[in-house]
Amino acid sequence: MVFFPPAKLNLGLHVLGKRDDGFHRLESLFLPIGWNDMLEVVVAPDVPRGEAQFTWTGLDIPGDSADNLVTRAHAMLAEKHDLPGLSIHLHKVLPMGGGVGGGSADGTYTLRAIDEVCDLGLSTQELMELAAQLGSDCPFFVQDSPALVSGRGEVVTPLEFELPLKDVWVVVANPGIHIGTAEAFSGLVPRDRTTDWTRLAREPLHAWKDIVQNDFEPGACERHPEVAALLTQVEEAGATYVQMTGSGSTVFGLFMKEGAARRAAQLVGAGHCGPALRTQR
Ligand code: C5P
């Protein structure tokens, strides 16, 4: 069975304060977009029960494969359930360490895929709890519809309002800089505030910057002028709203016209250009 773990963009990423457990309280609107990795999970009779044979193609995945969220997700389920031998193949398209959540999507989709392929019958709640153990951004990908995300990332509330993104196009570009999570949080001063996220449904895109901000953006721009330059380039190419996503370094622009988006994508060497609202697979 083949699955398509999507990238996400953060519309606003507000860091409100530090919790007793060391994690930060966050608020953000997570938007899944139509830019995907590919994940295939099949039962493999030649692989011993409880084990998985993991292969990948596409972008290079740095680091130890035992540390990968896909293998960790499989290990979590294999510990609790009697799983058949599995073959798991990941085709990596989404840039890593760029703030689009690809690794988190792959991990959560591995839980969902194994649940489906092996008929485990896990509830949404069980999947959310397992995903929260994998990483802060993972629970969102259990349902991956536009959602308000809070807590350290585990409180996911699907949007009850509609964003004015019909016919809007998104251009996503990565300046090729890796920003580690620790670096992103260092020097960031949390700013506690209350945000009326429903204003995004009522206000035009050009007014969004007064409603939401990515708190990681000023620090990233200061340390990496390439991020600031890319934001300016996307804006000057005609975007109505520009922002860095996650803890960086990927930036995105929202465009009112497909043609302008396509021209901008070519100009900045974007990784993705498509409708801002993806059609559900
Ligand atoms: O949960 P995840 O592995 O994504 O978090 C990586 C690191 O990011 C954590 O160890 C923590 O330092 C920081 N973090 C945080 N507050 C969050 C999410 C992550 O401080 N809400």
Side-chain angles (χ1 to χ4, degrees):
M1 213 177 261
V2 181
F3 300 80
F4 297 91
K8 59 86 177 153
L9 298 176
N10 296 92
L11 287 180
L13 179 46
H14 297 179
V15 183
L16 305 180
K18 208 168 185 179
R19 317 187 326 174
D20 291 342
D21 62 5
F23 282 88
H24 290 79
R25 284 186 299 119
L26 308 173
E27 271 186 16
S28 181
L29 198 158
F30 277 46
L31 184 72
I33 57 170
W35 191 23
N36 305 78
D37 282 339
M38 274 162 270
L39 178 75
E40 185 181 47
V41 176
V42 291
V43 173
D46 51 330
V47 175
R49 284 196 81 77
E51 291 183 21
Q53 188 180 56
F54 178 53
T55 53
W56 73 86
T57 47
L59 297 178
D60 247 353
I61 304 175
D64 185 356
S65 80
D67 223 19
N68 187 296
L69 285 185
V70 171
T71 45
R72 276 173 50 200
H74 171 263
M76 272 168 83
L77 289 178
E79 207 174 281
K80 290 196 189 141
H81 300 269
D82 178 27
L83 299 183
L86 294 171
S87 166
I88 303 180
H89 182 82
L90 179 66
H91 182 69
K92 194 75 199 145
V93 173
L94 304 173
M96 281 146 285
V100 296
S104 303
D106 297 337
T108 301
Y109 266 70
T110 304
L111 296 173
R112 291 173 56 173
I114 296 175
D115 174 41
E116 204 164 322
V117 170
C118 302
D119 236 344
L120 301 183
L122 297 176
S123 66
T124 301
Q125 189 54 35
E126 284 171 301
L127 284 168
M128 294 284 283
E129 280 165 20
L130 289 165
Q133 291 170 41
L134 274 182
S136 301
D137 278 352
C138 291
F140 164 72
F141 292 102
V142 170
Q143 296 170 87
D144 66 19
S145 53
L148 285 172
V149 175
S150 59
R152 59 164 264 229
E154 81 284 14
V155 184
V156 179
T157 313
L159 288 196
E160 283 168 7
F161 52 90
E162 215 166 289
L163 292 166
L165 293 177
K166 194 173 168 293
D167 300 328
V168 171
W169 277 60
V170 68
V171 170
V172 188
N174 185 290
I177 296 162
H178 180 91
I179 301 182
T181 316
E183 180 202 324
F185 275 102
S186 73
L188 183 149
V189 182
R191 191 156 61 91
D192 203 5
R193 70 254 209 213
T194 308
T195 307
D196 179 4
W197 295 87
T198 63
R199 282 182 65 198
L200 294 178
R202 297 191 301 272
E203 306 271 355
L205 266 58
H206 64 77
W208 280 11
K209 62 180 185 309
D210 299 325
I211 307 168
V212 295
Q213 300 82 35
N214 181 347
D215 289 352
F216 290 105
E217 198 177 289
C221 287
E222 206 172 295
R223 286 189 297 274
H224 305 284
E226 302 91 327
V227 175
L230 191 55
L231 283 164
T232 305
Q233 218 185 350
V234 175
E235 187 163 28
E236 286 178 356
T240 305
Y241 180 78
V242 292
Q243 198 208 281
M244 188 179 83
T245 184
S247 53
S249 60
T250 303
V251 311
F252 66 93
L254 297 174
F255 291 76
M256 307 308 285
K257 295 248 163 62
E258 176 182 347
R262 289 198 184 278
R263 280 191 295 279
Q266 207 153 32
L267 189 76
V268 304
H272 174 74
C273 174
L277 291 177
R278 74 180 179 146
T279 43
Q280 288 282 351
R281 281 180 192 264

